[in-house]
Amino acid sequence: MDYLYMKHIPKIKLYGTKTCHKTNYYKTFLDEKKLPYQFLDVLENENHADELRNLYTNKKLNFPTIIIGNKKLRNPREAELHKWFEKLIHS
């Protein structure tokens, strides 16, 4: 589904690294869906790393993590990504 034509697109953040194959998979997914997102490299920017650590009680760099609005997805499968984009964008 092409999400570009949805009325409301929540803010999307992708925490990861340029060298992580899963992070690159999510970047491609978001690009193909024409969804605006902010890529936050946790190895190149310590502030991004701190933001990510603070999302989890274990304070670890659990990447890739995608934030869609207020929903946090840790390394989601493609079906889970579609489910949450459908749910959050249509709400």
Side-chain angles (χ1 to χ4, degrees):
M1 167 172 272
D2 189 348
Y3 297 105
L4 180 64
Y5 302 105
M6 305 295 168
K7 289 183 178 181
H8 173 62
I9 298 176
K11 186 172 185 173
I12 301 167
K13 292 183 177 183
L14 171 59
Y15 292 91
T17 69
K18 292 178 186 173
T19 58
C20 172
H21 75 279
K22 287 296 281 188
T23 299
N24 289 320
Y25 167 80
Y26 297 130
K27 287 173 76 174
T28 299
F29 176 90
L30 294 166
D31 289 340
E32 287 176 353
K33 301 298 181 192
K34 298 182 175 86
L35 287 165
Y37 65 96
Q38 182 180 13
F39 173 60
L40 304 162
D41 193 309
V42 298
L43 293 182
E44 291 188 359
N45 187 312
E46 190 59 36
N47 290 331
H48 299 323
D50 288 341
E51 278 181 43
L52 180 58
R53 283 187 191 99
N54 288 327
L55 293 174
Y56 294 96
T57 56
N58 66 10
K59 301 296 183 190
K60 291 185 179 181
L61 284 178
N62 294 317
F63 66 86
T65 292
I66 299 173
I67 305 295
I68 309 167
N70 294 321
K71 180 65 180 171
K72 175 176 60 180
L73 302 171
R74 164 74 174 98
N75 196 14
R77 294 181 314 260
E78 187 173 350
E80 187 179 10
L81 270 178
H82 283 289
K83 176 185 117 182
W84 282 106
F85 279 114
E86 290 288 324
K87 186 173 185 173
L88 293 172
I89 291 172
H90 284 297
S91 59

